[in-house]
Amino acid sequence: MRVPLLALAALSAWAIPAAAQQAQWPPVAIALVADVTTDQQTGVTTVTLDGSRSFDPQGSITQYDWEVMTDAYAGFPVAQSPADPANNIPAGLTAEFRLTRQALAAKQAYSIEFRLTVTDDGTPKASDSATVTADINQSPTAEITVEAWLPAPRGEQFYGFDDDGDGEVDENSERYTRQGVIHGPGEADNADNEWDIREGSLLVVDGTASSDPDGPLPDSAFSWERIYASDIPTVTASVPDDTDSRKTLSTDDDPDTAGTTDDETIAPLPFTGGVRADPYYLYYRLTVTDDHGASATEVVKIVVRDAHADPQVEIEHPESDPAASTAEDRRAGIQPAGENRYVISTDAAHEGVALIAVATGDGAARTRLLEHTWSGTGIEPGRSNRPGSRTTATFTAPEGTKEGDAFTAAVEVVDPGGLTGSVAVELVVADNSPPTATAPDDIDTPDGIDGGYPPSDPPTGTVSLRGFAFDPDGDPLAYRWMQVRTPSGAPLDVTYRGPRLSLSGATTPTASFRLPEVTTGTQIVLYVQFTAADRWGVEASDTVQITIRDGDDDLKALAGTDQTAQPGEIVVLRGNFSSGLVRADAISAVTYSWAYTGIDTHPRTEHRPPITDAEAAEGFAYGKWFPNADGTYDSAAGGRVGNADSRFPYFIVPEPGGFNSVKLTFELTVRSGADTDTDTIAITVVNTFFSGTIDSPDYCANLSLGGPITHPMDLDGDGTADVCSLNTTRRAAIARQYALEKLATLNPDALTDALHGPPDDPTTPDADESDPAKGACHTAPKDLDGDTPEALAADICAPQNAARRDLPQQPGPVDPSRAARFYSSYIDSAFFCANYGLGGPRLYAHDSDGDGTADTCALPYTRREAAARQAALEAAFAGHPQYPAALAAACRALGTLDFGDHPADLAQDHCNPDHGRPKGQPLPTPG
C-alpha cells in the first residue's frame, strides 16, 4: 500500500469588485490521490482519485471530469465513477486509473499527474481545475554477492595486531586473508548464480547490493531461506538456516563480535573428504520486500569443493663440492644471479654440480608419496632417488660449452591425487667476479615536511640516497633500491608494521623518497637496500638504516582534486588530512565537516531568467544550488550534501539548466583538539553544450571541443560536422561559414587559386614551397595522423592533382533545425560534435585567427585537405567585396532561431548590423 499523496489545488482569488457583488462565484476544484495499490499477482497498479472535497460556494457541482496530464500516458483511460441520480451525485466524483507492469516499464514514468475539472450549475456555467500527482511504487531488485576467505598460513597469522590497518584488532577478518572463491558466476561453465568455494572457508552470502528505486531497504525487507543442502547434517553445522531481517549470512557465528586468539566465532565450511570426493551443494533464496508489499527474489548456488593444495617444490643452491665442511666451500664457483638463476664457473660446470630438490605436499602422507621427475640438458638424476620430499641430480656441462651458454634444470613432482608442482633453475656457464655495492652511512632525520637528507634550510621533506658500486670485470651495472625489513635484507611481509616507502629513481645510483609521519614523541627505523648487478645478473647489496624522528607538523585538510561530473551523477567527496598523527586513537579523533560554499555559473546567475517550474520540480530553489534571486548566496544551502560530518559526503549533481556550466564549491574542515584546517574542492557540471577551454594547438583532437560554447554545422549532410566551435555566437558562426561556402560556390576559380596559388606565370620564378603565394595546399600540414595514403593521393592537395581545377562537391544550404543539434560518440547521424570523441573517426582542426579556438573540427575530406580548404576559404572570401552581402543573406536565412545564444551576445555578433565592430571579428572568448 502506497502512502496516500494529497495535493490541494491553489484556491482561486476571491477578491470581488464593489461593482460586481452579485457576480457568480465559480466552483473550487480539489483533487486528491486517495490510494495507490499494486496487485502482486497481476502486476496491475491502481490509482484511486477523489474529487469529493470540491465545492461550489453558491450552488452545486454538476460535472466532474478527470484526465491524465503526463505525456507518457496521454490517451490512457481514467475510469470515472458512475452517476447516482438518487442521491444527486454526478459521475466522476471519484475515478480509477489502472496501469499494467508492462506499460509502466515501457513508459518509465513513475510520477503521473492528473487534472480534475469541475463545472457548476450556474448560468453561464463556471468551471475550475486542479492537478494532483500520484507516485507509483516500483518493485525492488534482489542481488546476491558471495565472498569466501581461507585462513592465512600459520606463519603469517600474527595475533594481537591490526593487520588490515582499520584501527581494530579483529582476528576473524585479519586471520582469514586468502581467497576462498575458486570460480564465480560465468567462470568454468558456472551458471550466472553459481559459486565454487573451497572447503574450510569463511563464507559470506551478501544481499546488501539489493536496491529499491523508491528508497533504501531496511533490514526487515530481507528474508533468507535455505532451499537445499546436499548433506544436511554436515552443512548445517556451519551455515545458518532460514533467517529474517538479515542482509547477510555468514559462517561467522557472530559477525558483530571480533574473534580473538581464545574465542573463534567462525564455523568454516565443512571438508568434503578428499580430492575425488563429491562436493557439497547449498542453495539459498533471498526475498526482498519493500514497505508497500512489492517483492523480488534471487537464488544463489554454493558448491563446496575440495581445497587440497598443489605440492610445492624448490631447487636449493647448487653445490660444487657437497662433501665440503662449510657452505662457502660447498658452493665455490657458483654465484646466485636472481631468482632460480645461478652463474657457474667453467671448471665447476665441467666437473659436475650437485642439485637438490625439496618438495612438500598437502600433508605428511601426500609428501611421503611425491614422485619426482628431473629433466634438462646435462641433467642426471641420482640413482638413489625414491618417492618422497627430497631427490638429487647432477648437472654436467656438455662438450663444446662456451662462456655465456645457459642450461635449464627442471623437476616436477606429482602427489597421489594427481596434483602437480614444478620448478626450474637456469644455469649460466661463465667465469665471473661479483660486483661490490656500498650504501650511504646511516641517516637520522626529523619526519615529514620538517626533515630531509642531506639537511637543508628550509627542509625538503625528502631523503636522497646515493650508492656506489664497482665491478672487477668492468661489466656495466644495473641498480636497484628497495625497502627491506631487516639490516640483512629480509623482504617486507605481513609482519612489517611500519610505513612503506615510495622510492623515486629506484633503478639509478641515486634514489629518493618523501619522509613519512611518525607518532608524536616517538621515532621509527627503516631500512633501504642498495643492489648492483653485473651483466650476468650476479648481485651485491648493502643496506642503509634510516631513523626518522617526530617533527612538528600541523594538521592539514585535504579535500581532494577538482572534478568534472555529469548531471544526475552521485558524487562522493573523499576527505583526508595529513599531520604528525599516526596513532590509531589520534587518527580516529580527527573530525570532518563539509559545507557547500558557493556556485559559479556561465553565464552568471544574475543574467539568467528566473527558475522555471520544470527546474523547481527537479529540486532547484533559491538558497540551495542557486543563489537567491538578488544574486546573494545562502549559507544554509549546504543541506544539499548528505553525510556532511563524515569523510565521505555525497550529493546528486544538478542539471545545469540554461547554463553552459555550473561550478559547485565545497569546503572541508578537519579538527583535532584545538587544531583546525580547511581546504576546498570544486565540482564542475557541464551540460551538452559545454566542452571546456582549449589549451593547446590541437584544437578539437582532445577531450575539449575548443571553448565554452560549441557550434555544430553539417552543410553537406554527410553526418560529419563542418564547424564545431567559434568564440562567437552560434548564429554568427553558422552564418559566417555559410557565407564563405556560398561565395566559393559562386567563385570556384578563386577558391582553386587560394588552394593551389594562381596559374603559373612563365616570366615569374617559382616561389619557395613555404610561400603562401603558392596556395593553402603548400602551407597545410603534409600529413596528419589518421589519413590513409590512398586518401592523401586522391585529395585536392596531392601534387598530381595540382592541375585540377575542379573542386570537391560544394556543401548545400544550412538546415537550421539540424544546426542546433549535438551528438556524443562516433558520427553516424546529423548530430555533431558535443562529445569526448569529437565527432567521428576523422577530425580536422583549423584556427584561422590564432585565438586558440578551432574554427573547424571535422570535414568529410582528408585532414590535410580540410585544413587547406578552410584556410583557402578564409584567404579568398573573408575580405571579398561580396562577403558582407553573403553574410547578411546567411543571417536572414537563419532568422531569429534560438541556438542558445545570450541576447547580449546576439546584439554584438556580426549578424547584427549595429554591432559597431569590424565585419567578421569574433566576440571575445567568454570568461
Side-chain angles (χ1 to χ4, degrees):
M1 178 69 68
R2 187 81 175 175
V3 178
L5 173 65
L6 304 182
L8 300 180
L11 299 181
S12 303
W14 285 4
I16 305 174
Q21 291 294 323
Q22 302 304 315
Q24 176 186 354
W25 288 8
V28 176
I30 299 178
L32 304 177
V33 174
D35 201 4
V36 179
T37 59
T38 299
D39 189 318
Q40 298 304 315
Q41 297 293 328
T42 64
V44 174
T45 297
T46 302
V47 180
T48 303
L49 303 166
D50 184 5
S52 62
R53 296 191 185 181
S54 305
F55 63 93
D56 183 51
Q58 290 182 321
S60 60
I61 296 174
T62 60
Q63 185 175 344
Y64 296 80
D65 294 298
W66 293 90
E67 58 183 322
V68 182
M69 300 302 293
T70 301
D71 290 342
Y73 300 106
F76 281 53
V78 180
Q80 304 194 148
S81 60
D84 183 2
N87 293 306
N88 199 30
I89 298 176
L93 187 68
T94 61
E96 284 189 347
F97 177 79
R98 297 190 175 188
L99 195 62
T100 65
R101 183 171 292 144
Q102 293 84 352
L104 182 63
K107 300 298 183 180
Q108 291 288 309
Y110 295 95
S111 291
I112 306 177
E113 187 178 51
F114 300 90
R115 181 168 63 192
L116 168 64
T117 301
V118 297
T119 306
D120 66 8
D121 57 357
T123 303
K125 295 182 179 297
S127 62
D128 187 33
S129 297
T131 60
V132 67
T133 300
D135 290 332
I136 307 299
N137 181 47
Q138 303 177 64
S139 297
T141 299
E143 186 171 341
I144 300 174
T145 57
V146 173
E147 289 186 1
W149 300 96
L150 289 166
R154 288 190 179 276
E156 297 180 9
Q157 295 186 18
F158 302 96
Y159 302 108
F161 288 105
D162 176 17
D163 293 294
D164 56 9
D166 64 354
E168 298 180 359
V169 177
D170 180 354
E171 295 299 347
N172 288 3
S173 62
E174 294 171 5
R175 189 182 309 168
Y176 286 76
T177 59
R178 294 186 297 162
Q179 181 61 253
V181 175
I182 303 173
H183 298 116
E187 300 174 352
D189 297 327
N190 279 3
D192 59 5
N193 68 332
E194 183 176 359
W195 296 79
D196 292 337
I197 306 299
R198 294 186 185 278
E199 61 188 6
S201 295
L202 183 165
L203 174 70
V204 179
V205 182
D206 191 346
T208 56
S210 304
S211 61
D212 184 6
D214 297 315
L217 290 164
D219 288 354
S220 59
F222 294 79
S223 176
W224 293 91
E225 177 187 2
R226 190 174 62 223
I227 56 179
Y228 178 78
S230 61
D231 190 317
I232 293 292
T234 302
V235 174
T236 55
S238 296
V239 295
D241 199 346
D242 304 347
T243 306
D244 292 330
S245 300
R246 289 265 301 272
K247 293 185 178 182
T248 62
L249 303 179
S250 174
T251 57
D252 188 340
D253 294 338
D254 187 359
D256 297 326
T257 300
T260 66
T261 56
D262 301 320
D263 180 20
E264 177 70 275
T265 69
I266 293 170
L269 288 174
F271 289 85
T272 62
V275 174
R276 295 182 176 84
D278 292 334
Y280 295 132
Y281 296 95
L282 177 66
Y283 289 80
Y284 275 106
R285 175 167 53 213
L286 170 64
T287 301
V288 181
T289 307
D290 68 12
D291 291 337
H292 311 294
S295 64
T297 62
E298 181 67 26
V299 174
V300 65
K301 175 183 178 182
I302 305 295
V303 184
V304 184
R305 298 188 180 276
D306 173 76
H308 279 115
D310 293 330
Q312 303 294 314
V313 60
E314 64 178 17
I315 297 176
E316 295 184 344
H317 192 300
E319 297 181 345
S320 56
D321 184 5
S325 59
T326 66
E328 183 179 358
D329 290 340
R330 289 197 302 271
R331 299 171 179 178
I334 302 175
Q335 302 166 359
E339 185 177 4
N340 289 329
R341 188 172 186 271
Y342 299 90
V343 173
I344 301 175
S345 69
T346 305
D347 290 343
H350 286 94
E351 291 175 5
V353 173
L355 304 173
I356 302 171
V358 178
T360 55
D362 195 350
R366 292 171 182 251
T367 300
R368 286 193 298 269
L369 298 175
L370 289 174
E371 295 281 354
H372 294 234
T373 302
W374 286 88
S375 62
T377 301
I379 298 298
E380 181 66 30
R383 294 184 179 182
S384 61
N385 286 345
R386 297 289 185 272
S389 172
R390 184 183 179 92
T391 60
T392 63
T394 300
F395 165 71
T396 305
E399 292 295 331
T401 297
K402 305 182 300 296
E403 184 175 60
D405 286 350
F407 302 88
T408 299
V411 63
E412 180 183 57
V413 294
V414 182
D415 75 359
L419 300 178
T420 65
S422 63
V423 67
V425 296
E426 184 180 20
L427 308 174
V428 181
V429 179
D431 292 315
N432 183 63
S433 298
T436 61
T438 304
D441 293 336
D442 292 347
I443 294 170
D444 186 296
T445 178
D447 70 349
I449 59 175
D450 299 319
Y453 181 84
S456 63
D457 187 15
T460 62
T462 299
V463 169
S464 294
L465 303 171
R466 184 178 181 186
F468 297 91
F470 170 74
D471 184 74
D473 301 323
D475 291 344
L477 296 175
Y479 306 97
R480 182 181 73 249
W481 292 89
M482 63 182 299
Q483 185 183 4
V484 292
R485 181 163 47 94
T486 66
S488 61
L492 298 184
D493 59 16
V494 294
T495 65
Y496 179 71
R497 307 294 166 185
R500 295 177 183 255
L501 305 178
S502 177
L503 293 165
S504 177
T507 58
T508 69
T510 302
S512 63
F513 64 89
R514 299 290 297 176
L515 277 163
E517 303 289 348
V518 302
T519 304
T520 303
T522 65
Q523 65 181 31
I524 58 173
V525 177
L526 306 178
Y527 300 96
V528 177
Q529 185 180 74
F530 172 61
T531 300
D534 65 16
R535 65 175 177 139
W536 302 112
V538 176
E539 298 178 344
S541 298
D542 190 24
T543 302
V544 55
Q545 175 180 303
I546 304 167
T547 301
I548 304 175
R549 296 174 284 99
D550 169 49
D552 185 23
D553 302 316
D554 294 328
L555 186 69
K556 183 178 181 181
L558 302 174
T561 57
D562 293 348
Q563 304 174 33
T564 299
Q566 299 296 320
E569 179 181 347
I570 297 178
V571 170
V572 177
L573 302 174
R574 302 182 182 277
N576 207 338
F577 71 92
S578 66
S579 76
L581 303 174
V582 296
R583 296 194 317 272
D585 58 341
I587 292 174
S588 62
V590 176
T591 62
Y592 299 81
S593 178
W594 289 84
Y596 167 57
T597 58
I599 185 171
D600 185 21
T601 65
H602 181 273
R604 296 293 303 167
T605 305
E606 54 266 27
H607 297 156
R608 182 189 181 279
I611 294 176
T612 65
D613 292 342
E615 289 170 337
E618 291 290 329
F620 290 98
Y622 288 123
K624 291 190 176 180
W625 290 125
F626 292 152
N628 294 312
D630 61 358
T632 61
Y633 175 71
D634 188 337
S635 60
R640 303 283 294 188
V641 181
N643 292 340
D645 292 330
S646 72
R647 280 188 62 187
F648 307 117
Y650 64 90
F651 67 94
I652 300 176
V653 178
E655 293 287 342
F659 297 112
N660 292 323
S661 68
V662 169
K663 183 165 72 174
L664 309 171
T665 304
F666 300 86
E667 183 178 79
L668 166 64
T669 300
V670 294
R671 292 182 175 84
S672 176
D675 293 337
T676 183
D677 190 48
T678 61
D679 190 23
T680 60
I681 184 174
I683 309 296
T684 300
V685 186
V686 297
N687 71 6
T688 309
F689 308 115
F690 180 84
S691 61
T693 304
I694 208 71
D695 59 2
S696 76
D698 293 334
Y699 315 124
C700 299
N702 62 350
L703 293 182
S704 167
L705 290 175
I709 303 177
T710 303
H711 315 281
M713 182 175 64
D714 182 25
L715 293 175
D716 56 4
D718 70 338
T720 303
D722 306 334
V723 177
C724 277
S725 64
L726 282 174
N727 58 341
T728 179
T729 64
R730 304 178 193 209
R731 175 180 72 176
I734 296 169
R736 188 175 190 278
Q737 188 72 13
Y738 178 51
L740 297 175
E741 299 284 0
K742 184 66 175 179
L743 291 174
T745 303
L746 298 174
N747 303 277
D749 289 342
L751 180 57
T752 301
D753 291 346
L755 281 166
H756 297 298
D760 287 342
D761 182 351
T763 64
T764 302
D766 289 340
D768 183 77
E769 282 294 310
S770 62
D771 188 348
K774 296 281 288 183
C777 281
H778 289 276
T779 57
K782 294 299 183 287
D783 184 13
L784 298 175
D785 290 343
D787 293 327
T788 65
E790 295 78 11
L792 289 168
D795 76 18
I796 196 67
C797 287
Q800 60 268 32
N801 296 326
R804 282 174 42 188
R805 309 307 288 174
D806 60 312
L807 292 172
Q809 181 179 358
Q810 297 299 308
V814 173
D815 181 349
S817 67
R818 290 166 55 194
R821 300 298 297 274
F822 293 74
Y823 178 75
S824 291
S825 187
Y826 281 103
I827 282 293
D828 59 5
S829 70
F831 308 143
F832 338 108
C833 283
N835 66 330
Y836 293 132
L838 298 174
R842 292 178 298 178
L843 305 178
Y844 313 98
H846 179 65
D847 182 23
S848 63
D849 55 5
D851 67 342
T853 302
D855 307 335
T856 303
C857 277
L859 281 173
Y861 317 119
T862 66
R863 303 182 184 215
R864 174 179 68 183
E865 183 173 323
R869 190 176 189 282
Q870 188 69 19
L873 285 172
E874 301 281 351
F877 304 117
H880 195 279
Q882 295 177 316
Y883 173 73
L887 178 63
C891 291
R892 287 194 300 272
L894 291 175
T896 58
L897 288 173
D898 182 11
F899 297 138
D901 299 318
H902 194 281
D905 291 337
L906 290 170
Q908 300 180 66
D909 76 18
H910 42 263
C911 278
N912 190 320
D914 299 323
H915 60 67
R917 301 163 60 85
K919 292 292 184 183
Q921 181 178 342
L923 295 170
T925 302

